[in-house]
Amino acid sequence: MSDNTVILEVKNLCKSFGSHEVLRGISTTVKKGDVLVLIGPSGCGKSTFLRSLNLLEEPTDGQVIFEGTPLTDAGVDIDKVREKIGMVFQQFNLFPNMTILENIMLAPVTLGKMSREEAQAKARELLERIGLLDKADAYPQQLSGGQKQRIAIIRSLAMNPDIMLFDEPTSALDPEMVGEVLSLIKELAKEGMTMVIVTHEMGFAREVANRVMFINEGVIGEEGEPEKIFGNPQSPRLKEFLSKVL
């Protein structure tokens, strides 16, 4: 459950690509332990919003404040900030020429967070947690999509992030592999990991979120607890959207 510590604050976030406005003034707050799930039609700006939270997309206007630091301010070391923001993409982004163990160890060792021995112990502990310790010396191409995505998630966890961002983490998976990835994310939610998740899996959103944000045409169409959003939607656009996806 969330407490009152604000991890992330978004103020009037706007993003345009040329003359095309993708985000048109989104404001929200994410507190420690929150699981904020973003839903909405394709092309509504969900992924752009998520990628703006760690400046993978540079906002055109507005502010993103992470743990008190305004990320768009001049002089902010964004790479240093990103060490505390885990990111899991649709595609797994594992290095094909490295073993699974090496993939997980790479960032903590390269960034000086852990010694090789510490990173290896942490990586093995995380692999054991997801039942894939036997894959430590395998290469990514030897794993299923579901296994790769779970590796991608624990690779982010190896950095001990304060927040995790998930950009449609199951959309590249075969249907039978979706469950094992969602189960791991549900476990993290139960343990109190702060997360912002873009997903098309409505049942999962309803189960794992403590807040759901419906984005439509670059603005927040509706935001609230899952029971309110799914059980008693207010706006005609949200009702229409849910009628097509539930």
Side-chain angles (χ1 to χ4, degrees):
M1 291 300 294
S2 63
D3 65 19
N4 285 319
T5 307
V6 174
I7 296 267
L8 194 64
E9 196 175 355
V10 182
K11 296 181 177 178
N12 196 35
L13 188 70
C14 299
K15 176 65 181 178
S16 297
F17 295 98
S19 61
H20 178 48
E21 277 188 308
V22 180
L23 301 176
R24 300 185 293 132
I26 291 185
S27 299
T28 194
T29 300
V30 179
K31 294 179 178 177
K32 187 173 182 181
D34 270 350
V35 180
L36 173 62
V37 174
L38 311 178
I39 63 170
S42 293
C44 70
K46 303 183 300 292
S47 289
T48 301
F49 173 71
L50 189 81
R51 291 167 62 85
S52 298
L53 299 181
N54 63 359
L55 263 55
L56 287 179
E57 293 289 358
E58 194 88 30
T60 309
D61 200 4
Q63 278 191 312
V64 179
I65 302 165
F66 174 70
E67 295 184 339
T69 301
L71 300 191
T72 48
D73 279 11
V76 170
D77 184 347
I78 190 61
D79 291 329
K80 194 77 183 161
V81 174
R82 284 186 187 132
E83 292 176 13
K84 286 290 182 186
I85 304 176
M87 181 93 187
V88 178
F89 301 89
Q90 297 177 33
Q91 303 296 338
F92 324 114
N93 293 356
L94 299 174
F95 294 103
N97 59 329
M98 294 183 175
T99 66
I100 297 308
L101 197 67
E102 289 165 344
N103 263 281
I104 299 167
M105 291 169 57
L106 181 65
V109 172
T110 305
L111 295 169
K113 295 286 182 186
M114 299 177 195
S115 67
R116 280 194 66 81
E117 293 72 23
E118 288 168 334
Q120 187 173 81
K122 177 83 171 175
R124 288 187 175 280
E125 174 195 318
L126 288 166
L127 283 168
E128 187 161 21
R129 168 183 177 156
I130 60 170
L132 292 177
L133 185 55
D134 61 327
K135 303 294 184 187
D137 297 321
Y139 286 86
Q141 62 267 29
Q142 296 172 286
L143 272 57
S144 71
Q147 289 171 331
K148 287 179 197 169
Q149 192 60 297
R150 285 186 289 152
I151 298 296
I153 292 170
I154 64 165
R155 179 180 59 177
S156 281
L157 288 177
M159 286 292 291
N160 296 318
D162 290 343
I163 189 171
M164 294 273 286
L165 310 178
F166 293 86
D167 189 7
E168 297 188 28
T170 60
S171 66
L173 300 179
D174 292 333
E176 67 267 23
M177 294 173 183
V178 168
E180 61 196 46
V181 173
L182 296 184
S183 292
L184 176 54
I185 298 172
K186 285 177 200 169
E187 270 181 45
L188 296 177
K190 281 182 191 160
E191 291 167 10
M193 173 61 75
T194 310
M195 297 187 277
V196 182
I197 306 167
V198 173
T199 187
H200 289 292
E201 305 279 343
M202 294 300 131
F204 165 71
R206 191 168 194 161
E207 186 180 348
V208 78
N210 71 324
R211 240 167 71 237
V212 177
M213 181 192 290
F214 171 62
I215 298 181
N216 184 53
E217 296 182 347
V219 298
I220 299 174
E222 214 164 308
E223 185 176 9
E225 294 177 358
E227 288 313 309
K228 177 173 167 286
I229 294 294
F230 292 108
N232 188 25
Q234 299 299 300
S235 68
R237 184 65 187 94
L238 177 55
K239 289 176 185 174
E240 179 195 4
F241 171 75
L242 292 175
S243 74
K244 291 175 180 173
V245 296
L246 290 178

